[in-house]
Amino acid sequence: MTIRLLIVDDDPLVRAGLTLMLGGAEDLEIVGEGADGSEVPELVARHAPDVVLMDIRMPQVDGLTATARLRAHPGAPEVVVLTTFHADEQVLRALRAGAAGFVLKDTPPAEIVAAVRRVATGDPVLSPAVTRQLMTHVAEQPEQPRRAAAADRLTALAAREREVAVAVGHGRSNAEIAAQLYMGVPTVKTHVSRVLAKLGLNNRVQIALLVHDAGLLDEDDPA
C-alpha cells in the first residue's frame, strides 16, 4: 500500500526538507505541496491524499482552521500537525478539531515516516504521556463550564461504551481494553466506533480529550 502524502507549510525550506526526507520511503508518495491553509481544499480535491502534514502557523488560513474545515467532510484525509513545541495551545486545539496527532519539526525522518504510517492505518500518533501533557497544559475554557458540557455529551453513551471511552482516555490499546473489561477485541472496536459516532468525534485522541474534560480521568487509573 502506497500512502499519498500532502505537505502544507508556509516555509519553502521546510517543505523541501520534508519532501527530501520523506520521499525516500518506498511506501510514501508526496503528491503535492501547499504554502497556506487556504490551499488545502483544492489540493485535497486534486491529489486525494491519505494524510496531510499540516503546519499550524500560516499567514492567511492557519492549520487549525484548515484542519477543522477539512475534517468536517466525510472521508477526509487524516491530518498530522507540524509544530516546534511539545505542548502548544494550538496543537491541543488542532487535536480537538480532528487532527490525528502531531510531530515536531525536528523529529528524525524515520519517526515522521512511522507517524504517517500509523495515522494512515487509523492510529493516533500521540503517546498517552504526551496526550496527558497536552490535556493538562492548556485549558481553553473555565473548568466548570467545560466539565459540565463534556459530561453532558457523554450521557449519550451506554454504560459499556462509557467504560471503553474512559479506558481510551487512559491510553489503553484495544487489546488492553479487552483484557481490562473482559471482552473480545472485535467487541472493543465496535464500542469505540459507536462512541465516535454517537459523540461526533473523529478519532481516539478526541475521545481522550472529552473524557478528560468531563473529569473522568481525575481518579487513579484502575489498571
Side-chain angles (χ1 to χ4, degrees):
M1 170 186 170
T2 299
I3 301 169
R4 298 171 61 82
L5 183 64
L6 173 67
I7 298 173
V8 184
D9 193 296
D10 64 332
D11 188 334
L13 291 179
V14 171
R15 295 198 307 272
L18 288 170
T19 298
L20 180 63
M21 289 189 301
L22 304 180
E26 294 183 357
D27 58 342
L28 296 188
E29 178 185 0
I30 312 298
V31 296
E33 297 181 14
D36 191 80
S38 60
E39 302 174 18
V40 170
E42 191 274 334
L43 289 171
V44 168
R46 185 197 311 170
H47 298 295
D50 300 304
V51 178
V52 179
L53 273 179
M54 183 94 71
D55 188 20
I56 288 211
R57 293 172 176 83
M58 292 182 284
Q60 297 181 44
V61 175
D62 62 32
L64 170 63
T65 302
T67 296
R69 291 174 179 173
L70 180 61
R71 294 295 298 169
H73 296 284
E78 298 290 351
V79 176
V80 178
V81 296
L82 291 165
T83 182
T84 55
F85 301 100
H86 285 275
D88 177 30
E89 178 180 0
Q90 298 298 320
V91 172
L92 182 59
R93 293 179 62 196
L95 295 175
R96 293 189 190 280
F102 79 93
V103 293
L104 300 175
K105 290 188 176 181
D106 60 356
T107 298
E111 293 183 21
I112 298 180
V113 171
V116 170
R117 287 171 177 157
R118 285 186 58 188
V119 167
T121 62
D123 292 329
V125 293
L126 289 175
S127 69
V130 173
T131 302
R132 285 193 294 270
Q133 179 187 9
L134 284 166
M135 289 190 295
T136 57
H137 187 75
V138 178
E140 295 183 59
Q141 309 170 28
E143 180 177 351
Q144 291 307 315
R146 187 177 72 252
R147 177 166 295 197
D152 183 65
R153 289 185 67 185
L154 291 173
T155 60
L157 302 182
R160 205 59 164 164
E161 293 165 350
R162 186 184 179 94
E163 290 178 333
V164 169
V166 172
V168 169
H170 281 298
R172 300 278 180 272
S173 67
N174 287 340
E176 290 168 336
I177 296 172
Q180 179 184 334
L181 298 180
Y182 305 103
M183 61 176 69
V185 172
T187 303
V188 173
K189 292 181 179 179
T190 298
H191 281 312
V192 171
S193 296
R194 288 175 178 169
V195 170
L196 292 170
K198 285 186 176 182
L199 299 178
L201 302 177
N202 288 296
N203 53 49
R204 297 169 76 98
V205 174
Q206 288 186 321
I207 296 176
L209 290 169
L210 186 62
V211 296
H212 170 271
D213 285 350
L216 300 183
L217 305 184
D218 289 350
E219 299 179 357
D220 290 339
D221 188 344

